[in-house]
């Protein structure tokens, strides 16, 4: 995986790759160092988020200052989209892209890095894995994960995470 490849990079190489991520995409074509840096960043984000929903009751999570707006606009645009188990066609088909594009662009300038690539779990009950992950934009990730948190889809992950650590949420049982 990407993390294993990063172990071979020195601090200067990691810093250079991270700095490259700030440049416009046209600047590099298919530079493998950039792909590796992106993969590292996406993998780290996925790990942090999964640990978060494993340890904190998802219904109480606030992912951005705009969670309410993102959720309302998402559900207004995608009323019937199942968020518990995603169909990749609902994100990647040409028809889906035509529907997602205006939604995503409406958050340009409002949500930092709204169009950066990130990993999204297909089945909300599962962990990040090659089979259970898809590449999505950050605003798609946020919209779907905010909906999953509010609609109870991430509760299984939280219950399993609590069971593994033996921790109890003192705010009440879920």
């Amino acid at each position: 995986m990407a993390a294993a490849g990063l172990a071979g990079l020195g601090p200067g190489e990691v810093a250079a790759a991270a700095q490259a991520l700030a440049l416009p995409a046209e600047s590099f074509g298919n530079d493998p160092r950039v792909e590796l840096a992106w993969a590292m960043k996406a993998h780290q984000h996925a790990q942090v988020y999964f640990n978060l929903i494993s340890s904190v009751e998802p219904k109480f999570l606030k992912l951005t200052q705009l969670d309410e707006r993102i959720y309302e606009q998402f559900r207004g645009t995608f009323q019937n989209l199942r968020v518990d188990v995603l169909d990749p066609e609902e994100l990647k088909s040409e028809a889906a892209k035509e529907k997602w594009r205006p939604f995503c662009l409406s958050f340009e300038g409002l949500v930092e890095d709204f169009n950066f690539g990130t990993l999204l779990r297909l089945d909300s009950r599962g962990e990040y894995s090659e089979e259970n992950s898809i590449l999505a934009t950050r605003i798609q990730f946020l919209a779907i994960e905010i909906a999953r948190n509010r609609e109870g889809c991430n509760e299984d992950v939280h219950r399993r995470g609590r069971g593994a650590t033996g921790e109890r949420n003192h705010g009440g049982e879920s």
Side-chain angles (χ1 to χ4, degrees):
M1 175 129 204
L6 291 172
L9 294 179
E13 292 170 305
V14 171
Q19 182 180 7
L21 288 174
L23 298 172
E26 305 82 47
S27 299
F28 4 60
N30 291 330
D31 186 333
R33 292 172 300 174
V34 173
E35 290 178 17
L36 183 60
W38 173 84
M40 176 185 82
K41 187 173 181 177
H43 180 70
Q44 287 173 338
H45 177 265
Q47 285 182 312
V48 168
Y49 183 71
F50 195 81
N51 288 340
L52 187 62
I53 61 174
S54 295
S55 59
V56 176
E57 279 193 64
K59 65 184 174 187
F60 297 122
L61 284 178
K62 187 169 173 105
L63 302 181
T64 74
Q65 295 296 316
L66 298 171
D67 280 14
E68 189 64 32
R69 179 176 175 177
I70 293 169
Y71 181 71
E72 287 176 10
Q73 192 169 330
F74 171 70
R75 277 304 182 203
T77 305
F78 301 95
Q79 303 92 347
N80 299 319
L81 181 69
R82 281 188 61 188
V83 294
D84 59 339
V85 180
L86 294 170
D87 175 355
E89 288 298 306
E90 294 285 341
L91 297 170
K92 300 295 182 179
S93 72
E94 285 305 314
K97 287 178 184 179
E98 288 301 314
K99 198 169 182 180
W100 275 104
R101 190 170 292 115
F103 173 84
C104 294
L105 289 173
S106 72
F107 291 97
E108 185 173 14
L110 298 173
V111 173
E112 186 177 350
D113 300 333
F114 80 103
N115 64 345
F116 274 31
T118 190
L119 296 174
L120 179 64
R121 292 170 301 134
L122 292 169
D123 185 337
S124 63
R125 296 165 297 182
E127 296 184 18
Y128 285 95
S129 67
E130 189 173 337
E131 301 78 29
N132 195 41
S133 300
I134 190 169
L135 179 61
T137 64
R138 182 164 188 259
I139 191 62
Q140 287 175 308
F141 166 86
L142 289 169
I144 291 167
E145 288 298 338
I146 289 167
R148 284 175 168 175
N149 291 340
R150 291 182 178 206
E151 297 170 15
C153 300
N154 282 329
E155 287 300 316
D156 284 345
V157 170
H158 175 67
R159 274 192 290 278
R160 283 195 313 268
R162 261 186 35 190
T165 62
E167 293 177 9
R168 291 290 205 181
N169 180 338
H170 298 290
E173 291 296 314
S174 29

